[in-house]
Amino acid sequence: MSIDLDLQRKVEAILFAAKEPLTVEQIEVRLPQGTDVRAILRALKDTYETRGFTLTQSGNHWAFRTAADLSDILEHQKEEQRQLSRAAMETLAIVAYHQPVTRAEIENIRGVATSKGTLDILMEAGWVKPGRRRQVPGKPLTWITSEDFLDHFGLETIMELPGVEELKASGLLDKRPAIETIPGTPNMFEEEELTAQQEAQESENT
Amino acid sequence: MSIDLDLQRKVEAILFAAKEPLTVEQIEVRLPQGTDVRAILRALKDTYETRGFTLTQSGNHWAFRTAADLSDILEHQKEEQRQLSRAAMETLAIVAYHQPVTRAEIENIRGVATSKGTLDILMEAGWVKPGRRRQVPGKPLTWITSEDFLDHFGLETIMELPGVEELKASGLLDKRPAIETIPGTPNMFEEEELTAQQEAQESENT
Amino acid sequence: MTDNFEEDNWQDSKDKQESLLLNLDGFEGPIDVLLNLARDQKVDLVKISILELVNQYLGFIEQAKKIKLELAADYLLMAAWLAYLKSRLLLPKEENNQDEPSGEEIAEALAFQLRRLEKIQETAELLFARPQLGQEVFARGMPEGISSSTDAQYEANLYDIILAYGDIQQRAEHSSYEIKPFNLMSMDEAAKRLSTMLGTLPKSGRNTVWATLEQFLPENLIDALMSRSAMASMFTAGLEMAKQGKLEIRQDGNFNPIYLRGKTE
C-alpha cells in the first residue's frame, strides 16, 4: 500500500513540532477526515528506523526520539537527574511488573513499610499514577505506570519490560503475601505506628 | 559524493536534540577529527528538502524546522501555557474530591473567599462544569469535574483519586498526628452514591 | 551430619556477618538482610536451605548484640520469628493440623518471598540499565509546539492537584490543633481555696459565721468564663466538703444567696 507522501509530511511535521508525545487521536484531528493515521505512523516508523532520530511509540503516544545507540555523541545534552533511592527503584520495578498493585502488596513484596518519599517521588516524576480501586474491603487504590514511564524507558508497552516473560513464567509475579505470618509485612508496622500514635495522644490527654 | 550514513545519523541526532541552532564548529567538535561537517549538512539538507521538517541555515547556524508550508496544520501557539494559580489549583482539587460541591462549600473548605474568576478559569480550561442545583434553600449551583478533566489527568474515573489517608500512607503528605477528616465534609464518594440514589428515588416519585 | 555441615558454614559466614553489620544502614529491613545472607550461600535460591539461613540470621543478630549494636525492633522480631520457624522445622512433625501451615510450608513461603524480592531487585537494575529519556535518548531540543483544541491552556498535572488538596487538608488539621486551653478553675483548686478561707473566718461556737458563696470567689474576675467556672467549681467543692461533714450549706429560697459555714468536729 502506498502512503500519500503529503500526509506523511504532515504527520511528521506535527510530531516534530509537538512538545510532548501525541496520541493517534491528537494527530487525527489535524488531518482530513478518514486519514489512516496508524498506517502513516507505521510507514514513518520504518522510514526513520535507521536515522539519527526515530519514531517511537509508548502506549498510545508517538514521538520522535534520538536513536539509543547515539548516546555517546549526545553526552553533553545529558540532563541532571535526581538519583533515585534503592527503595524508589525497587518500588518502581514492583509497580511496573506487578501492576496494578496496592501499597500493601508493594510492602509485602519488599518486606518493609513504604517510607515517605518513595511513591511520591515516582509520582512527581510522572512515572506512576493511581489506577482503579481494588474491589475488596477497604477498596485500596492500586498503582500503575504511566505512558511517561514507557516514554522515559523507551518501551512500547509494558510487555516489553526487560525480563517480563521470564518473571511471568517463574510464577514470581504472584503478588499475594508469601505467608501472612512472615514478619516485616506492612500490617505489623501499621499497627505499631498506630499504637505509638495512640500512646502519644493518650499521654497528651492525661 | 557519498556520505558516510553513520556520520549523517550523528549530525542529525545532534541537531535534533540541540536546544538552539548550532554552528558548524559546534557540530564538528562532537565528531571524529577531519569530518567534513559542511558536506554532511548539505547532504542532510537535500535529504529533508521535501519532508515535513527541513534543515535550515541562518548565517552560520543550522537547525531543523518544521516545513514553512505546513504552518496551518500546526497553528503555532500564540500563547504560552499558563500556570494555574494556587487558588485555582486548590479549587480544582476541592471540586475533584468533594463534587458535587457548591461555591460556598468550596470557600468553607479552603477557608478563604473564592473569587468568581477562579471557577471561570477552571470552566474555561474545560475541567469543571456546573452540576445540579442543590435542593436546599437558595438552590445553589453545584460544580463537578468534566470528562476532559479525567482525560487530561489520566484518570478513568474520579474514584481513582487517592484519598487523604492513602496519600499519607504513601508518603505523599507530610505525616502529622491526624484527625481523620475535616468536620463537616462528608466523604465525597458516599455523598455521590447518596445523590445518585436520591436522584433515582426522585425520578421514581415523579 | 547435616547439622555439622551447617555449623561449619555458620562459622565461615561470621566474617561476612560482621561486614553486614557495618552496613546495616544500607539494608531495607530484615528481609533484605536475609536475602543477602541467602545470596552468600551461593546456590540457586530455589535450592536454598532455609534452616541454614535461619542459623545465619540468628548468628547475625547475636553478633549485633555482642557488639552492642542498636537493632531496630523489626530485626529482633524477625529473629524471634525465625527461631520459632527453626523449632518447627526441627521438631518432629505434629499431627496434621489443617489450620496451621507446617514448618516446611512456612519455609517454602519464605523462600518464595526471597526469590521474588531478588527477582525484583534484578529487574529494577535491568530497567534502569535501559537508555533513558534525557540521559541517553533525547527529545527534540527546540519543539515549536502545536496548538490544539483538546490541549489544555493551563499547565497542571495530577500530582499538582493532589498536593494542593493535601495542603488544604493540612491547613484544616492545623487549625484544629490551635484550640487554646480554656482558662478554668479546677475542683482541686476550688476545694483548697474553700478550706483555707473557711479557716480564716471568725468562729461562732463550733461553727464559723455564715458567708455567701460569692465571698469565696477570687477577686477581680473579669473573664466571664472564668467567673462561671470558679462559681461552679466552688459550689461543687462546697457540696463535696458538706458531704464530708466539713461545712454546712444553706439557701433560703430559689435564686437566693447560697451560704456556707465551716464546721469543726
Side-chain angles (χ1 to χ4, degrees):
Chain A
M1 187 183 67
S2 96
I3 303 268
D4 185 340
L5 209 85
D6 182 53
L7 284 173
Q8 279 198 32
R9 283 185 76 221
K10 284 178 175 158
V11 172
E12 65 192 15
I14 292 166
L15 285 165
F16 208 75
K19 288 196 176 82
E20 302 285 337
L22 297 177
T23 62
V24 172
E25 292 73 29
Q26 283 171 320
I27 300 167
E28 233 161 31
V29 294
R30 299 167 185 286
L31 298 173
Q33 199 116 38
T35 306
D36 186 351
V37 174
R38 273 166 226 276
I40 296 173
L41 287 169
R42 277 195 299 272
L44 287 176
K45 197 178 170 185
D46 287 347
T47 305
Y48 289 97
E49 188 82 62
T50 57
R51 306 299 315 193
F53 43 88
T54 60
L55 187 57
T56 64
Q57 182 183 6
S58 49
N60 192 30
H61 286 78
W62 295 77
F64 278 114
R65 297 288 184 239
T66 59
D69 65 310
L70 297 178
S71 61
D72 289 351
I73 215 143
L74 297 167
E75 187 79 20
H76 61 288
Q77 294 274 67
K78 221 169 175 163
E79 289 160 20
E80 217 169 298
Q81 202 180 32
R82 187 170 177 182
Q83 188 58 46
L84 277 188
S85 69
R86 215 184 101 199
M89 284 169 65
E90 276 182 32
T91 303
L92 179 63
I94 292 170
V95 173
Y97 286 83
H98 291 264
Q99 61 187 305
V101 64
T102 67
R103 187 180 61 92
E105 286 163 347
I106 294 171
E107 295 184 338
N108 248 316
I109 293 168
R110 294 194 61 232
V112 285
T114 305
S115 64
K116 262 193 219 176
T118 305
L119 271 169
D120 74 331
I121 281 178
L122 298 177
M123 205 175 156
E124 193 180 359
W127 293 339
V128 310
K129 61 175 191 175
R132 282 162 194 273
R133 285 175 186 277
R134 183 78 41 88
Q135 295 307 308
V136 296
K139 300 210 171 173
L141 198 68
T142 61
W143 296 89
I144 57 177
T145 53
S146 63
E147 303 229 322
D148 275 357
F149 165 82
L150 296 177
D151 186 29
H152 185 89
F153 290 96
L155 301 162
E156 253 181 57
T157 74
I158 54 166
M159 288 314 293
E160 280 185 4
L161 282 167
V164 72
E165 287 301 331
E166 192 203 334
L167 211 64
K168 239 171 140 182
S170 64
L172 293 174
L173 281 185
D174 191 340
K175 56 200 165 203
R176 282 173 302 175
I179 196 156
E180 302 289 347
T181 53
I182 293 179
T185 49
N187 301 339
M188 244 169 224
F189 288 97
E190 265 171 22
E191 251 164 38
E192 269 171 40
E193 262 173 49
L194 217 89
T195 317
Q197 272 182 19
Q198 280 171 349
E199 274 168 12
Q201 280 177 1
E202 271 165 20
S203 65
E204 265 175 30
N205 291 343
T206 53
Chain B
M1 187 183 65
S2 98
I3 302 272
D4 184 341
L5 204 85
D6 183 53
L7 285 172
Q8 278 196 33
R9 288 181 77 224
K10 284 176 176 161
V11 172
E12 64 192 19
I14 291 169
L15 284 165
F16 175 84
K19 296 209 169 5
E20 56 197 5
L22 298 178
T23 63
V24 173
E25 292 71 29
Q26 283 171 317
I27 301 167
E28 229 158 30
V29 294
R30 319 213 174 277
L31 297 172
Q33 199 114 41
T35 306
D36 186 352
V37 173
R38 271 167 226 278
I40 296 173
L41 287 169
R42 277 196 301 274
L44 286 177
K45 197 175 171 184
D46 286 348
T47 304
Y48 291 103
E49 189 78 63
T50 58
R51 306 296 315 193
F53 46 88
T54 58
L55 187 58
T56 61
Q57 181 183 10
S58 55
N60 191 28
H61 288 75
W62 295 77
F64 278 117
R65 291 280 183 231
T66 49
D69 65 310
L70 296 177
S71 62
D72 56 323
I73 63 159
L74 299 176
E75 301 171 59
H76 290 80
Q77 255 167 328
K78 289 167 197 80
E79 265 180 302
E80 279 289 294
Q81 279 207 327
R82 276 172 294 172
Q83 198 73 37
L84 214 53
S85 74
R86 183 82 207 152
M89 189 79 80
E90 288 190 8
T91 304
L92 180 59
I94 291 168
V95 174
Y97 274 89
H98 294 268
Q99 60 189 303
V101 63
T102 67
R103 189 160 135 214
E105 287 163 345
I106 294 170
E107 292 182 349
N108 214 339
I109 296 167
R110 282 193 68 220
V112 286
T114 302
S115 73
K116 200 180 167 298
T118 308
L119 276 166
D120 285 345
I121 283 172
L122 294 175
M123 233 173 74
E124 191 192 316
W127 291 334
V128 310
K129 60 179 188 182
R132 279 160 197 276
R133 290 187 178 275
R134 181 78 38 92
Q135 294 308 308
V136 296
K139 301 214 170 177
L141 197 63
T142 62
W143 295 88
I144 57 177
T145 52
S146 64
E147 281 292 312
D148 273 359
F149 171 84
L150 295 179
D151 278 354
H152 183 87
F153 295 98
L155 298 167
E156 263 184 61
T157 73
I158 202 71
M159 295 288 290
E160 285 171 18
L161 279 173
V164 171
E165 287 312 308
E166 279 160 330
L167 295 179
K168 282 194 183 125
S170 308
L172 280 166
L173 296 182
D174 189 9
K175 243 186 222 166
R176 278 165 224 225
I179 287 175
E180 291 290 296
T181 51
I182 334 177
T185 53
N187 183 304
M188 57 168 291
F189 302 118
E190 278 169 20
E191 202 191 46
E192 237 187 0
E193 269 165 43
L194 217 89
T195 316
Q197 276 176 15
Q198 281 172 347
E199 276 167 15
Q201 281 175 359
E202 274 167 28
S203 64
E204 265 175 30
N205 293 343
T206 53
Chain C
M1 180 67 194
T2 325
D3 278 351
N4 283 340
F5 168 74
E6 278 167 4
E7 279 302 304
D8 288 347
N9 234 339
W10 177 66
Q11 291 293 344
D12 289 345
S13 61
K14 271 207 167 161
D15 292 344
K16 198 78 196 177
Q17 283 164 13
E18 264 171 62
S19 67
L20 271 185
L21 284 172
L22 296 174
N23 294 317
L24 204 56
D25 282 348
F27 284 104
E28 302 266 334
I31 292 277
D32 200 28
V33 168
L34 270 175
L35 182 55
N36 265 274
L37 290 168
R39 282 191 181 125
D40 291 339
Q41 289 194 20
K42 292 202 176 71
V43 291
D44 189 332
L45 272 184
V46 177
K47 296 176 196 128
I48 192 110
S49 160
I50 289 293
L51 198 55
E52 187 181 331
L53 188 62
V54 168
N55 281 331
Q56 282 182 22
Y57 186 85
L58 295 179
F60 164 77
I61 295 294
E62 273 312 302
Q63 285 285 110
K65 279 183 183 158
K66 220 173 275 171
I67 58 172
K68 297 199 170 65
L69 202 73
E70 285 278 345
L71 278 180
D74 45 343
Y75 286 88
L76 300 175
L77 190 68
M78 177 61 92
W81 184 79
L82 287 177
Y84 162 76
L85 173 59
K86 185 178 168 183
S87 71
R88 290 287 298 270
L89 286 171
L90 293 178
L91 285 173
K93 283 190 188 63
E94 300 156 33
E95 284 293 293
N96 227 359
N97 189 341
Q98 290 288 24
D99 296 338
E100 229 177 302
S102 69
E104 282 71 22
E105 280 167 341
I106 303 174
E108 175 44 41
L110 180 60
F112 174 82
Q113 172 97 343
L114 292 173
R115 285 202 302 274
R116 185 170 61 183
L117 182 59
E118 185 189 45
K119 203 47 150 190
I120 273 299
Q121 289 181 353
E122 281 172 16
T123 49
E125 275 172 36
L126 283 178
L127 183 62
F128 280 87
R130 288 187 65 85
Q132 294 177 54
L133 189 64
Q135 299 298 300
E136 288 84 21
V137 168
F138 297 90
R140 189 170 171 218
M142 291 172 283
E144 289 99 338
I146 53 172
S147 72
S148 155
S149 52
T150 56
D151 282 356
Q153 294 168 257
Y154 290 97
E155 271 177 67
N157 58 39
L158 190 59
Y159 187 70
D160 295 333
I161 292 192
I162 290 169
L163 275 190
Y165 192 66
D167 281 351
I168 299 167
Q169 293 283 20
Q170 280 183 355
R171 280 208 306 262
E173 282 178 11
H174 259 314
S175 58
S176 63
Y177 277 103
E178 279 164 15
I179 296 168
K180 290 185 192 125
F182 291 122
N183 204 8
L184 299 174
M185 180 183 272
S186 72
M187 271 281 287
D188 288 350
E189 218 178 314
K192 211 179 276 171
R193 185 179 175 85
L194 198 54
S195 57
T196 312
M197 288 182 77
L198 282 171
T200 63
L201 283 180
K203 296 254 169 71
S204 140
R206 287 178 58 216
N207 299 324
T208 67
V209 297
W210 289 103
T212 61
L213 183 61
E214 281 82 358
Q215 285 174 289
F216 292 95
L217 295 183
E219 286 160 41
N220 309 323
L221 277 183
I222 304 158
D223 182 38
L225 183 66
M226 181 63 185
S227 308
R228 282 203 301 277
S229 96
M231 179 75 88
S233 295
M234 284 300 229
F235 179 63
T236 323
L239 288 177
E240 182 62 29
M241 286 170 74
K243 207 168 119 194
Q244 292 165 3
K246 289 177 184 158
L247 59 74
E248 286 174 357
I249 302 182
R250 169 171 70 94
Q251 189 181 27
D252 298 326
N254 283 346
F255 307 110
N256 283 0
I258 294 168
Y259 291 95
L260 309 171
R261 68 174 180 187
K263 227 171 112 180
T264 43
E265 289 101 295

